[in-house]
Amino acid sequence: LALTVAACGGGEDSPDARRRPDAGVDAGVDATPPPCTVSTMDFGAVTIINPLGLFQPGNTGDVIDDIVSAGGRLEQDPPHDSLVVELFGGVGGFAGQPITPGTYQIAGADLQFQTCGICFRVFTNVSGNSYADDYLATAGTVTITTVPTAAGQTLALSASQLTFEHVTIDMVSSESAPAGDGCTTAVASVAYDVTAMALPARIAPAARLRSR
């Protein structure tokens, strides 16, 4: 998975478009919701296929707002689901500090994509540079062992008991919201040990969608 894949887009593949009932449906009758796009409700213990790491320096050159991410496939054949972790220095679980080794619980600000510092997502039905839906973590334990402070360095982390729910993410504000369709999934355990490749510095702190 290229971590720069466009997310939350409009058009025929947008979550809103997929959930719009046909014009002929009686307004008084609930339309049947579409099936969940995630491959399984529980991936179990996973080994990431073709893992990739990225490093994006902060706006000021200060490590407190660096972005580090890693991702890869959960399945071999396309369209596949992928698991991505994005670490944002200075916010969420890293409020007021750089991305720091340690053990963290996904809770509080890390449950909202707009404010998370430790952000785990599943992308469903990835094909080329597009995918179907975002699933954002609702719980889990994350242990970060090694954090890169420059491109070419290693990101090493593991996570366990990750749970996810289907969300929509606003392209402008990055605010996430539950899709409300009951679609969930889980990952029992996963580990990343990758060399982070370079991405250019961000134009603005709010440009969080560019990190993918």
Side-chain angles (χ1 to χ4, degrees), residues 17-38:
R18 283 194 300 279
R19 284 161 178 76
R20 186 178 300 117
D22 293 339
V25 173
D26 189 332
V29 178
D30 292 337
T32 301
C36 302
T37 57
V38 71

Side-chain angles (χ1 to χ4, degrees), residues 54-69 86-91 94 97-100 116-118 147-151 153 199-202 205 208 211:
L54 296 175
F55 172 82
Q56 196 169 10
N59 294 310
T60 63
D62 190 333
V63 295
I64 196 168
D65 61 348
D66 286 349
I67 298 175
V68 180
S69 56
E86 297 151 297
L87 306 176
F88 295 88
V91 296
F94 306 119
Q97 67 179 16
I99 302 167
T100 305
C116 62
I118 304 168
V147 178
T149 56
Q153 297 179 0
L199 278 179
R202 289 160 290 155
R208 124 170 335 217
S211 70

Side-chain angles (χ1 to χ4, degrees), residues 149-200:
T149 56
Q153 297 179 0
T154 298
L155 170 65
L157 64 82
S158 60
S160 61
Q161 304 306 313
L162 293 169
T163 56
F164 300 82
E165 68 176 344
H166 178 204
V167 299
T168 59
I169 300 177
D170 186 88
M171 280 291 290
V172 176
S173 68
S174 296
E175 182 176 3
S176 58
D181 53 10
C183 294
T184 63
T185 192
V187 170
S189 63
V190 65
Y192 292 93
D193 190 339
V194 294
T195 300
M197 300 188 304
L199 278 179

Side-chain angles (χ1 to χ4, degrees), residues 57-165:
N59 294 310
T60 63
D62 190 333
V63 295
I64 196 168
D65 61 348
D66 286 349
I67 298 175
V68 180
S69 56
R73 300 182 178 189
L74 291 167
E75 304 162 302
Q76 184 63 57
D77 297 326
H80 58 267
D81 294 348
S82 291
L83 178 63
V84 171
V85 55
E86 297 151 297
L87 306 176
F88 295 88
V91 296
F94 306 119
Q97 67 179 16
I99 302 167
T100 305
T103 298
Y104 302 86
Q105 300 299 317
I106 296 177
D110 290 327
L111 300 176
Q112 165 59 248
F113 188 66
Q114 187 182 56
T115 58
C116 62
I118 304 168
C119 316
F120 271 87
R121 288 184 295 155
V122 171
F123 298 159
T124 66
N125 291 344
V126 179
S127 181
N129 287 326
S130 66
Y131 67 95
D133 291 320
D134 288 281
Y135 281 63
L136 184 66
T138 56
T141 300
V142 183
T143 298
I144 302 171
T145 305
T146 306
V147 178
T149 56
Q153 297 179 0
T154 298
L155 170 65
L157 64 82
S158 60
S160 61
Q161 304 306 313
L162 293 169
T163 56
F164 300 82
E165 68 176 344

